[in-house]
């Protein structure tokens, strides 16, 4: 199993901090400032995972993801997302990215996402909690209102936007979000989005 991880971000500070974190975790790391440099990297063909920033000059993360997914042996991609990039991060997961991590980074969260990417690259089954997908019973535990909230959250909408769409307060959306994550036993919003998409929850429309 290869442990090569490539980091693509136009911010040199982000590249340096991620490289240090991943190297300390035992990975071989290559860093690039843009998509063109990544595509030209001879190590790309053997890389197990790519950490890819969404917002970059030139070829953006979503476009670059499409280029990577078109390859015969595409690496597993984890998107790097700022708070305002969440809707785009959700789109990226729908198009093949396996996860996203938000800035500022939680080191444990980054290492968890990369470890999962490397395992999947090696053909292993997803060993993360609920990695095999939610079962019908889990989704049935959600109330109709919680399913509505979940569909809007999967669309990448902010709490205020969800509240306005459903005629409730942002605080109520927060309460629903916390309950949904508790019921579905997920630890992060990225995991919630990943599992919901994997189980057919359509963004903006509640699952029936």
């Amino acid at each position: 199993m290869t442990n090569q991880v490539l980091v693509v971000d136009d911010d040199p500070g982000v590249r340096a901090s991620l490289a240090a974190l991943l190297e300390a975790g035992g990975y071989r790391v290559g860093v690039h400032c843009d998509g063109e440099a990544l595509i030209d990297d001879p190590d790309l063909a053997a890389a197990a995972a790519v950490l890819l920033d969404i917002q970059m000059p030139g070829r953006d993360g979503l476009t670059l993801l499409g280029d990577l997914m078109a390859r015969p042996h595409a690496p597993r991609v984890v998107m790097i997302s700022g708070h305002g990039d969440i809707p785009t991060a959700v789109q990226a997961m729908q198009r093949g990215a396996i996860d996203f991590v938000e800035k500022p980074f939680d080191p444990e969260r980054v290492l968890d996402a990369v470890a999962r990417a490397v395992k999947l690259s090696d053909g292993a089954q997803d060993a993360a909690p609920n990695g095999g997908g939610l079962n019908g019973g889990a989704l049935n535990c959600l109330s109709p209102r919680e399913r509505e909230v979940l569909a809007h959250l999967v669309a990448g909408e902010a709490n205020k936007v969800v509240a306005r769409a459903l005629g409730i307060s942002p605080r109520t959306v927060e309460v629903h979000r916390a309950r949904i994550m508790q019921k579905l036993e997920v630890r992060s919003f990225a995991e919630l989005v990943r599992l919901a998409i994997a189980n057919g929850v359509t963004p903006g429309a509640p699952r029936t």
Side-chain angles (χ1 to χ4, degrees):
M1 178 177 69
T2 179
N3 67 343
Q4 176 77 50
V5 179
L6 302 178
V7 176
V8 188
D9 196 295
D10 61 314
D11 186 326
V14 171
R15 293 198 301 272
S17 62
L18 285 173
L21 174 64
L22 293 170
E23 286 171 354
Y27 297 101
R28 292 191 303 114
V29 182
V31 296
H32 298 293
C33 62
D34 57 36
E36 285 71 20
L38 173 69
I39 295 298
D40 291 338
D41 188 341
D43 287 335
L44 177 58
V50 174
L51 273 170
L52 176 60
D53 191 22
I54 289 177
Q55 297 292 344
M56 294 185 296
R59 197 182 315 188
D60 65 20
L62 205 58
T63 300
L64 187 57
L65 172 66
D67 294 341
L68 293 175
M69 291 297 99
R71 289 173 165 254
H73 302 288
R76 302 293 179 166
V77 178
V78 176
M79 304 302 293
I80 301 172
S81 170
H83 179 72
D85 300 330
I86 297 300
T88 307
V90 172
Q91 290 182 48
M93 293 179 70
Q94 292 171 323
R95 298 183 188 188
I98 67 159
D99 210 340
F100 67 87
V101 292
E102 294 181 67
K103 300 176 182 178
F105 302 118
D106 175 346
E108 182 178 352
R109 176 81 182 88
V110 173
L111 291 174
D112 283 349
V114 171
R116 178 173 171 266
V118 170
K119 286 180 181 178
L120 290 173
S121 180
D122 194 44
Q125 293 297 316
D126 188 353
N130 286 325
L134 302 173
N135 55 48
L139 287 175
N140 288 339
C141 287
L142 301 181
S143 69
R145 177 61 89 186
E146 287 168 346
R147 286 195 287 270
E148 286 183 318
V149 171
L150 176 60
H152 283 277
L153 292 175
V154 170
E157 296 177 2
N159 288 351
K160 289 182 179 179
V161 176
V162 179
R164 189 160 52 247
L166 299 180
I168 57 180
S169 71
R171 174 58 184 159
T172 301
V173 174
E174 291 177 7
V175 170
H176 282 309
R177 175 170 166 166
R179 288 177 178 168
I180 291 167
M181 294 181 69
Q182 181 180 29
K183 287 182 178 181
L184 300 183
E185 299 180 355
V186 295
R187 297 171 298 175
S188 69
F189 178 63
E191 188 180 355
L192 175 64
V193 170
R194 174 168 58 85
L195 295 177
I197 290 173
N199 286 271
V201 176
T202 303
R207 174 172 174 166
T208 57

